[in-house]
Amino acid sequence: MTQPKAALAYLRNEKAKAEQKLRSCQHREKILERQMSELNRRERVHRLCTRAGMLESFLVCPGELTDDQVMELLKISFRQPEVVLALAKMVHDVHERSNVQNPLG
């Protein structure tokens, strides 16, 4: 009769170990998710700053313009047919490149 009790104790012990490992892995997953979120945020901030700098390089006295004035200028610029076409082509090209399978892979 001691054999079933020993087997039951062993299984309970294994279950406790597995539950502890699960908690540990869940904690590690949360840490990794936070790290990914932080990296995504940093990447976005870098992209925004870079592109804002690009925009400012085309503006005369950018510090003197209001946000509304810059937005109006962008709206006017992006309504131009050649800009609309150029943007559509760029987006299309990006999608085409991302859909092409790697011939070496």
Side-chain angles (χ1 to χ4, degrees):
M1 239 196 220
T2 58
Q3 204 168 15
K5 285 184 182 180
L8 184 58
Y10 172 78
L11 291 175
R12 285 182 178 153
N13 186 40
E14 288 299 306
K15 181 183 175 194
K17 287 180 187 177
E19 288 171 345
Q20 177 59 37
K21 186 172 182 177
L22 174 62
R23 283 190 297 276
S24 175
C25 288
Q26 288 171 335
H27 179 67
R28 178 75 178 138
E29 179 184 26
K30 285 182 183 180
I31 290 171
L32 292 173
E33 285 173 353
R34 279 193 297 265
Q35 288 175 344
M36 286 175 51
S37 176
E38 176 69 16
L39 288 174
N40 288 335
R41 185 187 64 77
R42 286 182 185 181
E43 181 181 295
R44 181 174 185 270
V45 167
H46 176 74
R47 183 179 69 249
L48 291 173
C49 290
T50 300
R51 292 178 183 182
M54 291 175 188
L55 170 62
E56 281 201 348
S57 73
F58 288 97
L59 297 176
V60 177
C61 302
E64 296 176 20
L65 298 174
T66 66
D67 291 347
D68 290 338
Q69 289 171 322
V70 173
M71 182 58 127
E72 187 61 29
L73 183 60
L74 289 171
K75 285 179 183 177
I76 292 167
S77 300
F78 278 89
R79 287 186 188 132
Q80 300 299 313
E82 55 273 5
V83 174
V84 172
L85 289 173
L87 181 58
K89 182 178 180 339
M90 289 175 187
V91 170
H92 178 268
D93 291 348
V94 167
H95 289 159
E96 283 290 311
R97 280 195 304 269
S98 67
N99 289 333
V100 173
Q101 296 295 323
N102 183 354
L104 302 176

